């Protein structure tokens, strides 16, 4: 396992990348321009991203076959975010927004690993 400062730096990089991508995606792809809605998007990421990332790091560190666990974690993040977006009225398309933005940030996160 990585030393704590390295782990925290990795989590911070993941969160910052996710915030940049998902806020830009919400604005550009889903035309979310209202400040309150963008704050919801940011807060949702601040809560869900570190939880998913810690789970992913744990899965890769301790499980012999982590792909299933990572898939479940990513799906849980997607569902939680979509439900919050729907409950808060952030977008008319909460499921599509959550799916697309998560896919974009997931693919970008993979670039950190290469």
């Amino acid at each position: 396992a990585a030393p704590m400062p390295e782990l925290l730096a990795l989590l911070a990089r993941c969160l910052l990348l996710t915030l940049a991508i998902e806020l830009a995606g919400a604005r550009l792809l889903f035309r979310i321009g209202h400040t309150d809605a963008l704050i919801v998007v940011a807060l949702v990421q601040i809560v869900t991203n570190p939880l998913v990332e810690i789970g992913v790091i744990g899965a890769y560190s301790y499980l012999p076959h982590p792909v299933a666990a990572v898939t479940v974690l990513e799906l849980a993040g997607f569902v939680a975010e979509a439900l919050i977006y729907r409950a808060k009225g952030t977008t008319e398309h909460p499921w599509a927004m959550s799916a697309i933005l998560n896919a974009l940030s997931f693919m970008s996160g993979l670039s950190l690993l290469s």
Side-chain angles (χ1 to χ4, degrees):
M4 189 58 71
E6 289 178 26
L7 179 61
L8 292 175
L10 175 62
L11 290 173
R13 283 195 309 274
C14 290
L15 179 58
L16 291 173
L17 179 64
T18 297
L19 281 169
I21 290 166
E22 298 213 13
L23 286 168
R27 284 188 61 85
L28 298 171
L29 300 175
F30 291 89
R31 306 283 188 239
I32 309 261
H34 195 272
T35 302
D36 288 349
L38 290 171
I39 289 171
V40 169
V41 173
L43 290 175
V44 163
Q45 296 313 313
I46 289 168
V47 172
T48 60
N49 180 266
L51 293 173
V52 170
E53 294 302 334
I54 289 168
V56 167
I57 291 166
Y60 274 96
S61 297
Y62 299 107
L63 297 178
H65 305 288
V67 174
V70 170
T71 302
V72 169
L73 287 163
E74 291 292 342
L75 285 172
F78 151 70
V79 169
E81 291 171 18
L83 289 172
I84 294 167
Y85 295 150
R86 186 177 75 179
K88 298 301 285 178
T90 306
T91 175
E92 293 178 18
H93 308 286
W95 295 98
M97 186 167 99
S98 182
I100 291 168
L101 298 183
N102 273 287
L104 289 172
S105 62
F106 179 81
M107 289 185 293
S108 298
L110 290 178
S111 71
L112 290 178
L113 300 174
S114 56

